[in-house]
Amino acid sequence: MSGRFKGHSALITGAASGIGLASAQRLADEGIERLILCDLKADTLNTVAKALGGKKLTIDCLDGDVADPAFWAANKSTLENVTLGLANAGIADTGAIDDMDFADWRRVMSVNLDGVFLTLQALFQAMKGPGAIVVTASVAGIKAEPGTAAYAASKAGALHLMRVAAKEGAARRIRVNAIAPGGVRTPIWEQAPFFTDLAERRGGIEEAFVAMGDATPLGRFATAEETAAQIAFLLSDETATMTGSVLVSDGGYQL
């Protein structure tokens, strides 16, 4: 692949699996010189770092909660002079408004919205010159569906927060955009009871992904690697005049 990220360093949250992991691999393949990988799963992060160890880059692993201000304060020096960022950490939950436990609502909001705010704040404080940031949102933040109150509201909030950040960062030439995927084959689905029920009925996780993909106009879910390629595009100089934009990648689901 190209070396379009040569000379850059990038922070990726939620880097231990799914879109975050695929994005780390993509940036490493495209010449990134330093990766700062953040996740709650320290052991998995270390495994990821070892897998990328054959490439010529520096890797720092930060295990902690992106929704905890103390975590960012403790790692402020590690982020110094970072040039790229992916605010990707997130969790899923389902439940109707009338019977959803408030603690579950707050748990989703804490990671998916507070965590994005703190990640953006840390990146803005660390970036000394031009930079680019991508927020992983979701088509759920654009198209309403029953049973998605906490997740959808958190992602809608993250999208608007991205737009505010884009305006605030523009004077410093820090671009902030978002990607709003639809269905992507990642472990986050296994947090949702309806998905595990579907997998049991259909005979496995692969069969559940196929069934859900059939509901989109393109007839399939995206892979994490396809989404990572789109994120790399948003982080690259090819999108040098884009900020405050949302790249919807949902297989036509919202149409």
Side-chain angles (χ1 to χ4, degrees):
M1 290 189 179
S2 71
R4 62 179 169 173
F5 296 115
K6 184 178 180 180
H8 285 281
S9 57
L11 167 72
I12 300 176
T13 67
S17 63
I19 293 170
L21 172 58
S23 296
Q25 293 169 329
R26 180 78 185 206
L27 295 185
D29 288 341
E30 295 205 40
I32 198 82
E33 294 190 3
R34 182 177 177 228
L35 284 173
I36 306 165
L37 306 178
C38 172
D39 205 286
L40 282 171
K41 304 172 184 176
D43 291 343
T44 309
L45 273 184
N46 291 328
T47 300
V48 172
K50 287 179 182 178
L52 296 174
K55 301 183 184 294
K56 296 180 179 179
L57 74 159
T58 301
I59 301 174
D60 293 296
C61 294
L62 307 178
D63 59 290
D65 183 359
V66 296
D68 181 4
F71 166 74
W72 293 108
N75 291 289
K76 189 171 183 177
S77 61
T78 306
L79 271 61
E80 190 172 350
N81 294 321
V82 70
T83 57
L84 304 174
L86 173 59
N88 172 73
I91 58 174
D93 203 349
T94 56
I97 293 171
D98 62 352
D99 63 347
M100 186 173 198
D101 190 273
F102 183 68
D104 292 332
W105 166 273
R106 280 303 318 146
R107 182 175 60 91
V108 174
M109 286 294 172
S110 177
V111 177
N112 292 5
L113 190 52
D114 297 348
V116 170
F117 167 78
L118 290 170
T119 302
L120 288 170
Q121 184 179 69
L123 286 166
F124 271 25
Q125 292 173 354
M127 288 180 169
K128 303 305 181 187
I133 302 169
V134 172
V135 173
T136 303
S138 170
V139 72
I142 299 171
K143 180 176 180 177
E145 292 288 2
T148 66
Y151 184 75
S154 72
K155 292 300 185 178
L159 282 171
H160 204 65
L161 178 59
M162 174 276 297
R163 295 183 184 101
V164 174
K167 283 217 167 183
E168 293 185 359
R172 295 166 53 193
R173 299 297 184 264
I174 298 174
R175 299 186 299 106
V176 190
N177 294 292
I179 186 165
V184 183
R185 295 185 179 217
T186 69
I188 197 171
W189 288 101
E190 295 172 40
Q191 300 173 19
F194 83 88
F195 182 82
T196 55
D197 291 344
L198 179 62
E200 186 174 343
R201 294 198 308 272
R202 293 283 179 159
I205 290 175
E206 175 65 25
E207 289 76 9
F209 277 130
V210 170
M212 291 178 66
D214 286 342
T216 67
L218 283 183
R220 70 174 180 90
F221 271 18
T223 66
E225 290 73 22
E226 288 171 324
T227 306
Q230 294 160 357
I231 289 168
F233 170 65
L234 290 174
L235 290 172
S236 74
D237 288 342
E238 295 168 55
T239 54
T241 59
M242 285 177 60
T243 195
S245 297
V246 182
L247 175 58
V248 178
S249 178
D250 66 350
Y253 169 75
Q254 69 160 328
L255 300 176

